[in-house]
Every structure is written in structure tokens, then in C-alpha cells.
């Protein structure tokens, strides 16, 4: 080798090493996977000679393979890490073998140049063995985009791997876990170690952004909420910001980033029929075959449904399946713009689907799940933005001796680390922006008057720890059952006493149900460390929402901040008329919010929520309800539809304005609506003419 070529090689090696160092610097959140790979290399974990890496497009599988290569070489300088991308060679045994031989740096002699696949396979196995034995190296064979191998997969498993020597570590990386014959055979099954790759958690996103020069906590939160921790989206958004360093783009903008990510995923859809299913599934929070058929207003064949749930951006959850958050948001947005009637029809059918489930099941079982799903479709834009933007799972765990110290540490840390929370919301329909600020002092109101021992002794089911999908404690709820045993506490303790002590004696008597029962619940607190954190906010909101109907009678006294007040009223709560309290700061009058769905009040509540958001139960016999109005009430309805004010109606009908208002009150009560707009909507939807 001459001096010039030697110098060029050194420069090339330095360049490659520098790239490796930069890439390693930005690799975050994969410690568990890296540890498992190291164990395979060192022989500590003997089970499994095949690592199966899988996850959605852009989740970082190829990036992780590069890190495995670096680790393997650092572990043993003579390691041969052979990386084959299935897109780089034709999918037949001959080309696979020739491609592998090139990676092994083996030069075919004239005698060895052949199209015979058996001879090429034999040669590949021979060269791999020679490299391994003569150089005492560890051979690692990695196949990327394995899902595109197609029919070659059978030959690769049954012919190539069965002849491969046992000390070769095989890595199969793709969008899906390897299935079928891989798992049906006990022999293959015990060789496989599956390694699912998911989105990054908040701490990993923050670490990546810190290393990229993003230091402001508010900006990090917004990027986290926007990217959902998806590595490719995160990388694209950061690079776009850095390339516009003089005038950074707003995080709310996407500059085509999200469309690019969705385009990557949509390559998985082989036909228009499957795409139609994906579009419908994107409108749903969770879905199963029954709900999807209802949403599409036609049966979904089992074969097509199985194709849908097999896509890499679809995952299984407790009660069905769901799309990746980014995929769901992007497709939903596109549908709203492209086919708003189709989008609205899907949502409406889902609203009525859960409406029926709640009505049918409320007296037979808990309807916590159904309530949470229903509000996803019926909720106003603020409810959706505040509590449904993150599909992470959260579980409630009763306070007990095993987690007591953890709960105490949580409360101590909350008091030490409390900070101001800023919540920004833009209504997608009106584009009006709302900014809420929860001060540092208000941030601690939700823990004020919370004494674990006292509450535990009152009722062991009262205090629950809120855990995220990783098992970490993300919040604390205190929801007290109302019965004869707890009523004295509720009548005398801060936050609840003003409401319960102010009730008439007869009403209190109704609440004195046996200790093992409940007449409803009092929500003393649902506490999370940071209401600006979307995932934590979802945990808090859904904890409350799941109690709305199953509780039958629910009272809450949240801090006197506009954010809490508007959310409770958006969920259909009524402000109690007989009481306020001053228990947070001793100065500010704080209202109580009540939802009462006992007996026939449930139907009234459901209808009110439907009407509040411009929907009606299509099974309502509005013609019959309208016929029940008096002649005078029908006259007033007629004039309202024509757009007349109360004063004008009074003049036309020779009534006082007060009498018109009384008639309106009766009309709204009989038709189970709240205002003129809902009356006009009701008449229009049912094509009722008052002429």
C-alpha cells in the first residue's frame, strides 16, 4: 500500500469513527436492549441464538443495530458484524448468498461462480466457518427490514439457518415479530429472544433534546407532546428547528414532518380496502371488530380485520387494539379536511354505540371503561385535548402497607418540587387560543388536607396510587364513598364539610346507606405533579371521567382555578347552589361540582350531553315529544325557529316577557334541552315543521 492510499484510509477510518461517536452520543432510552445484547455477547444469557428486534417504522431499529455493531467490535476487535438489508438484494437464495459472500470479503474463483443455490449455500456456510475458526472471531449476522424478505423467509429458516454453525448470533430486525413456523416449532421457539422496540419515554426525550441544545423545560414539554416520543419524528423536528436556528419554527407547525412519518407507515398498506379500515380505526380510541363494523356501518370481514391488527403501527391493549398516536392524529386530521361528513358519521355512530352500552349495562356492571370511551367521542375539543392526546395506560393501586412509604415519598417530593404549570390549548374549530396557569401555590392545593393515615382508617379503598404503564407512581387519588360510616367525616372535614353539612336532614338521611354500600362518591383530590404534562393530565382526567356514571352521585371540590372549573362543567357537572367552601386559601369562595345520574336522571344526563355537543339519540321520538307541547308552547317554538327574541315573541303573542320565559323553561324541560340553539338543532334534525 502506498503512502497516499494509506493516508486516505486513515482519514476514512477517522471519519467513520467520528460518525459513530456522534450517533452514539444521540442514542438514548435503549439501555435495556443494549444490556440484553451485551449478555448475549458475553455468554451470560445462553437462551436464544436469535434476537428478534421489532417495532413501528421510524422507531429506531436500524439505529439500534448500528449500536450493536459498535458494541460487538468494542467487545472483540475481530468481530465480524454482517448487516444485510433485505432491500439491497433480490429475494432469491442465489443473490442472498452472493450478497453475503461480498460482505464476508470473499472473492469467488472461476470454479465457484455458479447459479446453483445448493453449492452457493454450501460455500457460504464454509466461509463463515473458516472466518470464525481461523480468526477466532465472533460472527454476527443481522438482517434488517426482515418483513420484506417475502418467500425467501422459508428458505432462510429451513435451509440457511439449519446449516449455520451454532456459535453465530443471528439478529432479525423488522416491523413485526417473527411468527408462524418460528413459534409453532418448540425447537425454534427456544432459540428466539424477542426484543420489541417502543417509543421513547419523557426522560429519554428530554435527554435527547438536552444533547441537541434544547434546554427550556416548556419547549421540551411541547416537543414531547407533539412527537409522542417517536424517534424519527423527534429527530426530524429537531433537525428542522436547528436548520432554522435564526428563526426557529413553532412547535405547533409540522412543515411536512408528520406527513413524512405517516407516509413511511402507509407503505404497509397493500390495498385500498385495508387503507379504508385504517382510516376508520384512526377515528376510534380503541377498536375491536364489532366497534369497527359499527363505525363503518358495514360488516368488517375477519380476514381484513386480522390484516389490520397485524400492522406494525397497531398494538394490542386490554380491551382491543389501537393505532399509534401519531398515525391516529395525522389520519384523523386529514379525514376531517378531506371528508368531514365521513369523519363526523364515524364519530356519531361511535357515540351512539357507547351510549347504548352505558344504558344497557349501568345497572348490571361498572361502566367505567364505557364512560371513558364515550367521552372520547362526545367530549368537546378541550376535553379531548386535555385528556385524550396520549394513549398511555394508567392503573389505580389501593394504598397498602407495601406501597405506603412510596406514597409518603411522593407527597414529600411533591411539596419540595412544586412548580408553576402552564397549559395552552387552541380550539381546532375556532382557532381561539386559551392559556391557563396553575401557580406553584395552587399546584399544592390538590394535596392540602390529605392525611394518609386518617383516610386509610376511614376506608381502605379511599386512597389509590396512580401508576403509569411502566409501573411508576404518577399521581394520587382520594375518592371517598358516601355512606353511614363516612358521612360524619364528610360533614366535618375541610373540602367536604360545607357541602354535606349544608344539606337538608332528609337528604342526609338518604345518603346514610350501609357501610358496605355507597350512595355516591366525594372526590377529595386527584393529584399529579405537573398538569402541563400531557400523560399525567390524562391519568388525572380519566380517573375522574371513569367515575362520572358508575358513581351515580359524584361531588368534587377542585381548586378555584378556571382550568378546573371549565373542565368540570365541560364534563356535564352542575355547580351546587347551596354551598361554597374556602378551604384552600381561606379567602377564595370555591364551588362544588355535582353529577347526579341516579335512576331516571341517567337518561337526562346522557341526553343533555348529546344535545350539548350537537347530537341527538336517533331513537328519540321527537315528534311525540313535540306533540306533547301545548298550543301556546308550539307557537313560541315556531317563533324561536324564525329567529325572534323573547321581547318580539311577547309582543306578537300579547304576553309579558316573563310569561314567555316561563313557557321556554317548560319547553326546554319537556324536550330535555338547554337553550335555543339546541331547540333549533332538534327541530332541524327531525325535520319538524311547526306550521
Amino acid at each position: 500500500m502506498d503512502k497516499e492510499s494509506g493516508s486516505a484510509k486513515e482519514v476514512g477510518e477517522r471519519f467513520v469513527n467520528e460518525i459513530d461517536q456522534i450517533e452514539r452520543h444521540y442514542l438514548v432510552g435503549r439501555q435495556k436492549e443494549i444490556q440484553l445484547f451485551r449478555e448475549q455477547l458475553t455468554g451470560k444469557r445462553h437462551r436464544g441464538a436469535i434476537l428478534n428486534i421489532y417495532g413501528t417504522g421510524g422507531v429506531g431499529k436500524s439505529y439500534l443495530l448500528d449500536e450493536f455493531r459498535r458494541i460487538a467490535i468494542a467487545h472483540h476487535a475481530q468481530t465480524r458484524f454482517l448487516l444485510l438489508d433485505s432491500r439491497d438484494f433480490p429475494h432469491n437464495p442465489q443473490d442472498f448468498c452472493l450478497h453475503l459472500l461480498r460482505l464476508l470479503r470473499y472473492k469467488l474463483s472461476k470454479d465457484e461462480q455458479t447459479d446453483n443455490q445448493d453449492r452457493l449455500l454450501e460455500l457460504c456456510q464454509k466461509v463463515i466457518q473458516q472466518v470464525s475458526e481461523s480468526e477466532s472471531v465472533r460472527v454476527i449476522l443481522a438482517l434488517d427490514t426482515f418483513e420484506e424478505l417475502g418467500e425467501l423467509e422459508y428458505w432462510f429458516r429451513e435451509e440457511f439457518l439449519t446449516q449455520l454453525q451454532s456459535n453465530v448470533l443471528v439478529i432479525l430486525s423488522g416491523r413485526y415479530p417473527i411468527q408462524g413456523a418460528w413459534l409453532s416449532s418448540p425447537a425454534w421457539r427456544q432459540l428466539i429472544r424477542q426484543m420489541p422496540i417502543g417509543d421513547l419515554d419523557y426522560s429519554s426525550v428530554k435527554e435527547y433534546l438536552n444533547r441537541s441544545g434544547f434546554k427550556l423545560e416548556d419547549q421540551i414539554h411541547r416537543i414531547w407532546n407533539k412527537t409522542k416520543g417517536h424517534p424519527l419524528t423527534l429527530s426530524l423536528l429537531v433537525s428542522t428547528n436547528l436548520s432554522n436556528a435564526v428563526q426557529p419554527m413553532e412547535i405547533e407547525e409540522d412543515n411536512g414532518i408528520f406527513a413524512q412519518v405517516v407516509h413511511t407507515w402507509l407503505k404497509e398498506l397493500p390495498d385500498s380496502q385495508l387503507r379504508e379500515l385504517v382510516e376508520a380505526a384512526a377515528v376510534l380510541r380503541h377498536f375491536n371488530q364489532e366497534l369497527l363494523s359499527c363505525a363503518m356501518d358495514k360488516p368488517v370481514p375477519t380476514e381484513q380485520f386480522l390484516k389490520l391488527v397485524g400492522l406494525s403501527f397497531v398494538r394490542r391493549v386490554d380491551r382491543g387494539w389501537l393505532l399509534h398516536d401519531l398515525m391516529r392524529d395525522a389520519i384523523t386530521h386529514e379525514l376531517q379536511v378531506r371528508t368531514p361528513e365521513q369523519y363526523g358519521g364515524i364519530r356519531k355512530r361511535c357515540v351512539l354505540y357507547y351510549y347504548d352500552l352505558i344504558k344497557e349495562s349501568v345497572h348490571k356492571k361498572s361502566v367505567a371503561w364505557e364512560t371513558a370511551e364515550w367521552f372520547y367521542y362526545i367530549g368537546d375539543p378541550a376535553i379531548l385535548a386535555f385528556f385524550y392526546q396520549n394513549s398511555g395506560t394508567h392503573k389505580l393501586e389501593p394504598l397498602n402497607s407495601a406501597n405506603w412509604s412510596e406514597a409518603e415519598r411522593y407527597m414529600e417530593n411533591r411539596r419540595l418540587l412544586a412548580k408553576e404549570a402552564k397549559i395552552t390549548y387552541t380550539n381546532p374549530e375556532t382557532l381561539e387560543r386559551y392559556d391557563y396557569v396553575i401557580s406553584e401555590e395552587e399546584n399544592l392545593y390538590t394535596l392540602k388536607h390529605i392525611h394518609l393515615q386518617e383516610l386509610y382508617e376511614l376506608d381502605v379503598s379511599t386512597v389509590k396510587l396512580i401508576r403509569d404503564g411502566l409501573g411508576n407512581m404518577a399521581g394520587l387519588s382520594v375518592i371517598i364513598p358516601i355512606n353511614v360510616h363516612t358521612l360524619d367525616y364528610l360533614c366535618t372535614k375541610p373540602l367536604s364539610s360545607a357541602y354535606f353539612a349544608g344539606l337538608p336532614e332528609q337528604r342526609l338521611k338518604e345518603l346514610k346507606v350501609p357501610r358496605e354500600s355507597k350512595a355516591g362518591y366525594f372526590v377529595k383530590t386527584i393529584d399529579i405533579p405537573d398538569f402541563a404534562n400531557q400523560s399525567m393530565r390524562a391519568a388525572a382526567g380519566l380517573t375522574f371521567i371513569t367515575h362520572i356514571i358508575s358513581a351515580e352521585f359524584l361531588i368534587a371540590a377542585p381548586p378555584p382555578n378556571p382550568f378546573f372549573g371549565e373542565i368540570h362543567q365541560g364534563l356535564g357537572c352542575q355547580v351546587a347552589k347551596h354551598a361554597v367552601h374556602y378551604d384552600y386559601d381561606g379567602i377564595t369562595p370555591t364551588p362544588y361540582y355535582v353529577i347526579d345520574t341516579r335512576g331516571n336522571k341517567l337518561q337526562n344526563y346522557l341526553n343533555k350531553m348529546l344535545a350539548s355537543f350537537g347530537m341527538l339519540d336517533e331513537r328519540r321520538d321527537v315528534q311525540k315529544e313535540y306533540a306533547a307541547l301545548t298550543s301556546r308552547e308550539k307557537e313560541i317554538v315556531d317563533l324561536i325557529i324564525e329567529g325572534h327574541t323573547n321581547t318580539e315573541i311577547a309582543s306578537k303573542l300579547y304576553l309579558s316577557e316573563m310569561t314567555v320565559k316561563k313557557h321556554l323553561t317548560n319547553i326546554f324541560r319537556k324536550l330535555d334541552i338547554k337553550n335555543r340553539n339546541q331547540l333549533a338543532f332538534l327541530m332541524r334534525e327531525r325535520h319538524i315543521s311547526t306550521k
Side-chain angles (χ1 to χ4, degrees):
M1 181 185 294
D2 57 39
K3 186 175 181 181
E4 187 174 331
S5 62
S7 176
K9 183 181 179 183
E10 289 173 6
V11 170
E13 287 177 351
R14 284 201 302 272
F15 189 69
V16 170
N17 288 337
E18 190 167 333
I19 290 174
D20 277 349
Q21 289 303 314
I22 293 171
E23 288 192 340
R24 173 167 278 178
H25 177 69
Y26 288 102
L27 180 69
V28 297
R30 302 300 185 208
Q31 293 81 4
K32 178 182 169 185
E33 292 81 3
I34 288 171
Q35 178 60 29
L36 191 149
F37 180 70
R38 289 185 185 278
E39 290 173 357
Q40 290 284 356
L41 282 180
T42 57
K44 289 181 180 177
R45 188 184 292 276
H46 299 290
R47 181 188 170 197
I50 299 174
L51 284 182
N52 177 211
I53 302 173
Y54 61 91
T56 57
V59 81
K61 301 181 294 292
S62 299
Y63 211 82
L64 187 61
L65 284 178
D66 274 341
E67 178 63 8
F68 286 176
R69 173 183 56 80
R70 290 187 285 268
I71 292 170
I73 292 171
H75 175 71
H76 194 304
Q78 298 303 314
T79 296
R80 297 292 292 276
F81 194 96
L82 308 171
L83 177 59
L84 293 81
D85 191 315
S86 69
R87 296 168 296 188
D88 292 343
F89 57 87
H91 298 160
N92 60 70
Q94 297 94 320
D95 283 297
F96 176 90
C97 291
L98 291 171
H99 188 69
L100 182 56
L101 288 168
R102 283 193 290 272
L103 290 177
L104 287 162
R105 300 172 197 151
Y106 183 81
K107 189 173 182 180
L108 288 168
S109 67
K110 287 185 178 180
D111 294 338
E112 293 168 330
Q113 292 177 6
T114 177
D115 288 334
N116 186 298
Q117 69 181 50
D118 293 333
R119 288 180 61 187
L120 284 172
L121 174 58
E122 184 181 348
L123 182 59
C124 276
Q125 304 291 356
K126 178 182 173 183
V127 173
I128 290 173
Q129 186 170 354
Q130 287 175 348
V131 168
S132 179
E133 292 177 354
S134 63
E135 301 177 28
S136 299
V137 302
R138 178 72 185 268
V139 176
I140 299 173
L141 178 64
L143 269 76
D144 203 0
T145 57
F146 186 72
E147 72 278 2
E148 295 190 20
L149 214 55
E151 293 180 0
L152 187 63
E153 182 181 333
Y154 177 84
W155 173 87
F156 175 76
R157 181 183 63 248
E158 303 298 334
E159 299 291 338
F160 183 84
L161 287 186
T162 53
Q163 297 184 44
L164 194 64
Q165 61 188 75
S166 60
N167 65 341
V168 176
L169 175 60
V170 176
I171 304 175
L172 306 180
S173 175
R175 294 190 173 193
Y176 316 103
I178 53 177
Q179 298 177 35
W182 294 99
L183 300 182
S184 61
S185 162
W188 283 115
R189 222 173 24 242
Q190 66 180 9
L191 291 175
I192 297 167
R193 178 72 177 177
Q194 293 193 323
M195 187 183 286
I197 306 297
D199 293 332
L200 301 173
D201 59 19
Y202 176 75
S203 61
S204 299
V205 169
K206 182 177 180 179
E207 184 180 356
Y208 177 84
L209 291 173
N210 285 162
R211 294 179 184 184
S212 302
F214 294 80
K215 304 295 183 183
L216 297 177
E217 193 73 26
D218 180 59
Q219 191 174 35
I220 291 171
H221 266 297
R222 285 189 291 140
I223 294 175
W224 155 251
N225 289 335
K226 191 72 175 174
T227 64
K228 317 289 187 184
H230 183 251
L232 176 60
T233 312
L234 182 65
S235 174
L236 289 170
L237 194 147
V238 166
S239 62
T240 303
N241 265 269
L242 294 177
S243 66
N244 293 298
V246 177
Q247 192 173 11
M249 82 170 192
E250 288 293 322
I251 302 303
E252 284 74 15
E253 300 174 11
D254 62 39
N255 289 8
I257 290 169
F258 301 99
Q260 182 177 340
V261 172
V262 171
H263 178 71
T264 300
W265 278 331
L266 289 178
K267 291 177 181 177
E268 294 183 35
L269 306 183
D271 56 62
S272 58
Q273 219 177 3
L274 190 55
R275 179 173 184 128
E276 185 184 9
L277 282 183
V278 169
E279 288 179 343
V283 182
L284 312 184
R285 182 169 183 245
H286 298 99
F287 66 90
N288 53 36
Q289 191 172 356
E290 178 185 321
L291 177 57
L292 196 57
S293 296
C294 172
M296 298 184 72
D297 204 23
K298 63 181 180 182
V300 174
T302 300
E303 181 183 357
Q304 285 293 100
F305 184 79
L306 292 176
K307 285 182 182 178
L308 170 66
V309 299
L311 297 171
S312 74
F313 50 81
V314 176
R315 66 184 173 95
R316 186 77 165 89
V317 289
D318 286 347
R319 304 251 186 156
W321 289 263
L322 56 81
L323 262 63
H324 189 284
D325 287 348
L326 284 176
M327 189 70 160
R328 182 195 65 205
D329 294 349
I331 291 180
T332 298
H333 176 72
E334 191 225 357
L335 267 182
Q336 285 178 280
V337 174
R338 180 167 55 84
T339 55
E341 286 190 11
Q342 178 189 352
Y343 171 80
I346 291 173
R347 286 191 72 89
K348 184 174 182 179
R349 286 189 286 273
C350 290
V351 166
L352 295 175
Y353 175 85
Y354 281 107
Y355 173 84
D356 284 340
L357 279 184
I358 290 169
K359 287 202 303 179
E360 292 168 7
S361 306
V362 70
H363 299 301
K364 303 174 186 175
K365 61 171 186 173
S366 168
V367 288
W369 164 267
E370 290 82 357
T371 305
E373 296 299 297
W374 191 61
F375 266 102
Y376 178 74
Y377 303 104
I378 198 71
D380 65 19
I383 298 297
L384 298 182
F386 292 142
F387 303 129
Y388 288 97
Q389 286 298 303
N390 188 294
S391 62
T393 56
H394 297 85
K395 294 184 178 179
L396 296 179
E397 177 182 293
L399 179 68
N400 55 54
S401 57
N403 58 32
W404 193 286
S405 58
E406 185 181 7
E408 288 182 326
R409 283 197 306 274
Y410 169 84
M411 294 180 67
E412 183 180 349
N413 288 334
R414 280 281 287 111
R415 292 181 177 112
L416 290 173
L417 303 174
K419 60 181 181 180
E420 179 182 271
K422 295 180 180 179
I423 306 166
T424 299
Y425 159 65
T426 301
N427 187 315
E429 297 172 0
T430 64
L431 299 181
E432 192 173 355
R433 176 174 167 141
Y434 301 87
D435 293 296
Y436 300 92
V437 176
I438 300 174
S439 69
E440 182 178 331
E441 181 183 9
E442 288 174 322
N443 191 285
L444 286 176
Y445 280 170
T446 45
L447 278 185
K448 199 167 187 178
H449 310 299
I450 303 301
H451 307 288
L452 294 181
Q453 188 65 45
E454 179 181 65
L455 290 163
Y456 187 78
E457 290 173 359
L458 177 70
D459 188 308
V460 295
S461 69
T462 292
V463 182
K464 291 185 173 65
L465 281 56
I466 303 174
R467 294 198 183 277
D468 62 22
L470 299 174
N472 301 315
M473 189 171 171
L476 186 79
S477 76
V478 178
I479 302 177
I480 303 172
I482 304 168
N483 56 42
V484 67
H485 174 68
T486 62
L487 208 51
D488 284 345
Y489 174 95
L490 294 169
C491 286
T492 56
K493 296 295 182 178
L495 299 183
S496 58
S497 60
Y499 180 87
F500 287 93
L503 290 174
E505 188 59 37
Q506 180 57 36
R507 186 71 189 92
L508 282 173
K509 188 176 180 180
E510 292 172 5
L511 299 178
K512 292 180 179 180
V513 298
R515 179 172 182 170
E516 62 275 8
S517 183
K518 63 171 178 59
Y521 286 107
F522 175 71
V523 181
K524 185 149 186 161
T525 192
I526 299 177
D527 176 78
I528 56 173
D530 184 7
F531 273 91
N533 184 300
Q534 199 173 70
S535 180
M536 291 182 184
R537 199 167 64 227
L542 291 176
T543 298
F544 183 83
I545 287 169
T546 53
H547 283 78
I548 284 178
I549 292 174
S550 58
E552 296 187 341
F553 181 52
L554 191 68
I555 306 104
N561 182 289
F563 172 73
F564 298 111
E566 289 172 27
I567 287 299
H568 281 76
Q569 291 189 62
L571 291 170
C573 296
Q574 300 292 319
V575 176
K577 295 179 180 178
H578 76 277
V580 295
H581 72 87
Y582 300 83
D583 295 330
Y584 285 120
D585 61 4
I587 301 170
T588 309
T590 304
Y592 290 95
Y593 296 94
V594 181
I595 291 182
D596 190 348
T597 60
R598 291 169 294 178
N600 60 10
K601 293 178 183 177
L602 171 63
Q603 186 64 58
N604 294 336
Y605 173 77
L606 295 176
N607 287 343
K608 180 185 75 173
M609 294 307 294
L610 283 174
S612 295
F613 301 113
M615 293 188 65
L616 300 168
D617 179 3
E618 293 184 344
R619 278 67 48 103
R620 277 184 72 180
D621 191 347
V622 181
Q623 294 282 2
K624 185 177 180 181
E625 293 173 14
Y626 174 73
L629 300 180
T630 66
S631 298
R632 178 65 80 188
E633 288 167 348
K634 289 177 182 177
E635 285 182 301
I636 291 173
V637 168
D638 187 22
L639 292 170
I640 287 174
I641 300 304
E642 291 177 6
H644 293 291
T645 64
N646 286 355
T647 303
E648 291 168 342
I649 293 171
S651 175
K652 283 180 176 290
L653 298 180
Y654 303 102
L655 301 172
S656 71
E657 197 169 339
M658 180 62 70
T659 301
V660 171
K661 288 180 179 178
K662 287 180 179 178
H663 281 304
L664 277 176
T665 299
N666 290 332
I667 291 167
F668 293 163
R669 177 180 54 78
K670 289 179 180 180
L671 296 179
D672 198 18
I673 54 178
K674 292 197 304 184
N675 54 45
R676 292 164 174 265
N677 290 336
Q678 290 174 19
L679 176 62
F681 180 83
L682 187 69
M683 297 297 109
R684 185 175 65 251
E685 283 289 292
R686 292 297 176 267
H687 309 293
I688 293 175
S689 172
T690 60
K691 298 296 186 185

